[in-house]
Amino acid sequence: CVTLDVQAACRDTTVTQELLKEGFHRDLLVKVELGEDAGGCAVAAQMRLPPGIYVDPYELATLQQHNLTKAVLFPDVIDVEAPEYLARDLLLLLFLEPDARCSRCFRAAVPVHARYHRPAEGTEEALVVLDSPEVLLCCCHSHLSAECWEPAEVDTPCSSPTTSSCQWHSTKHRPAYEGSMLRVPVGLREHNSLVCALTLLTTGLCSGLILAAACKYGHFL
């Protein structure tokens, strides 16, 4: 009976995420509908990005300078040129803004980029699966239901301006959500020999043309 009462009191937090645009450069839109009113609280989505996708820290810094988004990236130094098989997971804490159409709804978007993958065999695309974010609340002037929220270890301050210390909390119950999947075009392994031959031929041809032009029009001492 106690378990049923707790579940009835804790309305599920719903999380949806969408990958907007097409290609390697997308926008990740995160929308959250809380199970209870969170007036005066900072709301954030903490998500782990797999090696196949990343957030550009320089682009993120520019967006934050123009107050277009607010997020914390761990680690904050990223090799944006590394392929998927040489990269590692990233942790992104994305602060959400209230949705004017719903009192318990919050949303935010951040640019994400796909990394190049190894050539595959029998398929022309690789799948990058984004797990559901963890919803976090930081309330300095209100109290959350103890049976619905529990303290979370988050090493960053709240986004709301305050001089008092804040504790982040996360939902105890698993939210309903829609996972996102990014399809990344990859090369075919069976084309390796053809690609290498054409690359070598093109390189040799271009080098020969450059050398011929240098010999014909160059001035040598």
Side-chain angles (χ1 to χ4, degrees):
C1 294
V2 175
T3 303
L4 292 176
D5 291 341
V6 170
Q7 291 179 348
C10 301
R11 295 180 55 188
D12 281 339
T13 293
T14 303
V15 182
T16 60
Q17 52 185 2
E18 301 176 53
L19 284 168
L20 309 178
K21 302 180 181 178
E22 298 293 335
F24 277 76
H25 309 288
R26 314 287 286 271
D27 284 340
L28 177 60
L29 173 62
V30 180
K31 296 184 288 186
V32 170
E33 183 176 354
L34 299 175
E36 61 179 284
D37 185 27
C41 299
V43 182
Q46 182 172 257
M47 61 196 83
R48 187 168 297 278
L49 303 180
I53 195 171
Y54 70 95
V55 174
D56 188 334
Y58 305 104
E59 182 181 24
L60 183 61
T62 301
L63 292 174
Q64 296 193 116
Q65 288 177 357
H66 294 85
N67 294 322
L68 297 177
T69 190
K70 183 171 184 182
V72 179
L73 192 61
F74 304 97
D76 56 358
V77 178
I78 300 172
D79 184 358
V80 299
E81 301 294 337
E84 178 268 342
Y85 49 87
L86 295 180
R88 57 176 177 168
D89 291 356
L90 302 174
L91 190 64
L92 176 68
L93 184 67
L94 180 63
F95 294 89
L96 309 182
E97 296 293 333
D99 191 334
R101 296 167 295 181
C102 172
S103 62
R104 292 184 287 110
C105 299
F106 299 81
R107 59 188 292 156
V110 62
V112 295
H113 309 274
R115 294 188 183 274
Y116 290 104
H117 287 61
R118 291 184 187 273
E121 188 171 350
T123 180
E124 297 182 353
E125 61 183 19
L127 300 180
V128 179
V129 180
L130 298 178
D131 293 332
S132 173
E134 180 184 7
V135 180
L136 300 173
L137 262 68
C138 189
C139 301
C140 302
H141 306 295
S142 59
H143 300 282
L144 296 172
S145 303
E147 66 272 15
C148 304
W149 298 84
E150 62 181 3
E153 294 184 6
V154 179
D155 188 21
T156 188
C158 290
S159 61
S160 57
T162 178
T163 56
S164 60
S165 60
C166 292
Q167 169 68 56
W168 287 97
H169 289 78
S170 63
T171 53
K172 287 185 179 181
H173 303 287
R174 184 177 182 181
Y177 70 95
E178 294 179 5
S180 295
M181 184 179 298
L182 176 63
R183 300 180 183 272
V184 182
V186 297
L188 294 174
R189 288 183 182 177
E190 48 265 37
H191 292 167
N192 279 356
S193 299
L194 178 61
V195 171
C196 290
L198 289 177
T199 301
L200 183 61
L201 179 62
T202 303
T203 303
L205 178 61
C206 292
S207 299
L209 292 174
I210 294 173
L211 182 60
C215 294
K216 183 176 181 180
Y217 301 105
H219 300 280
F220 303 96
L221 295 178

